[in-house]
Amino acid sequence: MRFYLLLAVMAGVTYLVRMVPFAAFRKKISSAFVQSFLYYVPYAVLGAMTVPAVFYSTGSAVSSAVGFVCCLVPAFMGKSLIAVALTASGAAFAAEGIMALIK
Amino acid sequence: MSNNGKKEFVSGIKDSVPIALGYLSVSFGFGIMAVSSGLPLFQAVLISMTCLTSAGQVAGLTVITTGGTLLEMAIAQFIINLRYSLMSISLSQKLDGSFGLKDRLISSFGMTDEIFAVASGRSREVSKHYLYGLIVMPYIAWALGTLLGAAAGEILPDMLKAALGIAIYGMFTAIFVPAARKAVGVLAVVLLAAGLSCVIKYVPLFKGVSSGFSIIICTVAAALFGALVFPAKKEEESAQ
């Protein structure tokens, strides 16, 4: 039950945030400060959600660090979302494999 | 649907193929993540079918699995998804005359970073058929990928599951690294947000702060910092 309440709030808020401006808003936001703030929000979210959580994402700090560092290269080169995501997974997988062999 | 409507719809479908492929792989990672943090497959898919947002869903999953409150969920989703408001406002200026209120109510559900980017990058005005065409495949791919990931999460060997669990963070990285490379303001904001997030996680003083609120605090603080110190220029906004 608790799950469905949380899901309702999650889906409801997400939808309203998208829908209300789309249905109602016809003018551009004129405040440069608000525009700047909104511009930076997605990057702030991603930074906060990625670090340090990424280092726990495989259950091993070593393999997740290897995956993260390796995926920075294609990300820096501007490769596609899939390419970067698969690099992270592939490198983490290789690191897990090597660690299993050493053990 | 008129002849022109059909053409617009097909054109939207075509433009959405790369988005759909990307979503398939990313939501696969979300499915695995959801199941390995204790959610049943059905609930994982339900989240993807009702929310359609990667960062919001990962944060929401954190709130759900760490026993967060409804208020925490509401604030977290509001802050994290606030960017969609900006996109909705922006795209609302580009719609052609075919959009009634009903179409706005329905199609706004599909406003994601990628769909917004493709729709607003179009040289012509955006018709409702085009926007529906753009949304339908990524939506299906997002749900299907979650289903496959959640199902695979139950049968895949641990080593492979672990490796795929990092995929969604790879996608996040693919979004913020190129942007940070282009704009020093973005770089500063990302580093500040990541640093604050580490401080809240590791400094004992902040032990009581839940993960959901941590994301909210870091986001607001870092974005405020960015807006104050590096006011965004016009070109950067339209590039979003």
Side-chain angles (χ1 to χ4, degrees):
Chain A
M1 196 55 226
R2 193 181 141 268
F3 168 82
Y4 292 99
L5 279 174
L6 284 166
L7 178 67
V9 170
M10 183 177 171
V13 172
T14 303
Y15 175 61
L16 287 176
V17 162
R18 288 168 161 155
M19 182 274 284
V20 171
F22 206 52
F25 230 96
R26 309 289 164 111
K27 282 190 204 157
K28 295 229 179 206
I29 291 179
S30 57
S31 160
F33 182 78
V34 174
Q35 281 187 349
S36 283
F37 176 78
L38 289 173
Y39 165 73
Y40 284 120
V41 163
Y43 303 114
V45 169
L46 295 176
M49 292 215 323
T50 304
V51 182
V54 62
F55 298 107
Y56 299 86
S57 63
T58 66
S60 135
V62 176
S63 67
S64 50
V66 169
F68 181 52
V69 170
C70 288
C71 88
L72 287 173
V73 176
F76 190 78
M77 290 158 66
K79 298 288 181 196
S80 68
L81 302 186
I82 307 183
V84 177
L86 288 181
T87 303
S89 285
F93 187 72
E96 291 270 327
I98 292 169
M99 286 192 301
L101 281 178
I102 293 171
K103 244 188 270 176
Chain B
M1 212 187 288
S2 69
N3 230 355
N4 188 45
K6 255 183 218 151
K7 238 168 60 191
E8 285 282 289
F9 187 75
V10 171
S11 154
I13 297 259
K14 274 185 189 154
D15 287 355
S16 78
V17 170
I19 306 178
L21 287 174
Y23 282 8
L24 197 63
S25 58
V26 170
S27 62
F28 191 88
F30 175 77
I32 287 183
M33 187 190 254
V35 166
S36 44
S37 56
L39 247 57
L41 179 147
F42 168 71
Q43 292 183 347
V45 176
L46 202 58
I47 291 178
S48 283
M49 290 186 68
T50 55
C51 297
L52 193 65
T53 165
S54 60
Q57 286 184 201
V58 173
L61 189 64
T62 308
V63 175
I64 289 169
T65 54
T66 57
T69 62
L70 291 175
L71 180 68
E72 193 179 330
M73 178 65 95
I75 299 176
Q77 296 304 319
F78 180 75
I79 296 289
I80 292 172
N81 293 327
L82 198 56
R83 66 185 190 283
Y84 294 135
S85 290
L86 184 72
M87 297 175 193
S88 287
I89 292 166
S90 169
L91 194 62
S92 72
Q93 323 276 318
K94 211 179 145 72
L95 306 179
D96 72 3
S98 66
F99 273 87
L101 180 64
K102 196 185 80 190
D103 298 306
R104 286 174 187 252
L105 293 182
I106 297 170
S107 62
S108 58
F109 177 79
M111 184 76 63
T112 67
D113 305 54
E114 293 77 14
I115 288 166
F116 166 76
V118 171
S120 56
R122 206 184 189 213
S123 50
R124 280 180 289 152
E125 280 190 315
V126 171
S127 68
K128 66 177 181 185
H129 293 116
Y130 177 75
L131 193 55
Y132 285 137
L134 204 54
I135 290 170
V136 66
M137 295 251 294
Y139 178 73
I140 293 169
W142 189 249
L144 183 67
T146 307
L147 175 71
L148 295 175
E154 289 170 346
I155 52 165
L156 280 181
D158 282 347
M159 207 168 98
L160 198 56
K161 210 158 60 178
L164 287 168
I166 198 176
I168 199 155
Y169 295 104
M171 187 198 77
F172 292 165
T173 307
I175 296 171
F176 68 70
V177 166
R181 194 184 160 187
K182 281 189 211 109
V184 67
V186 173
L187 179 65
V189 166
V190 168
L191 290 177
L192 180 63
L196 286 174
S197 154
C198 290
V199 168
I200 293 176
K201 174 131 181 131
Y202 298 116
V203 174
L205 180 67
F206 300 110
K207 227 177 108 191
V209 180
S210 65
S211 319
F213 266 118
S214 170
I215 294 170
I216 300 168
I217 295 166
C218 298
T219 300
V220 173
L224 274 178
F225 171 83
L228 286 170
V229 181
F230 302 98
K233 290 185 203 79
K234 284 280 170 220
E235 310 82 75
E236 289 170 347
E237 282 148 27
S238 57
Q240 205 190 22

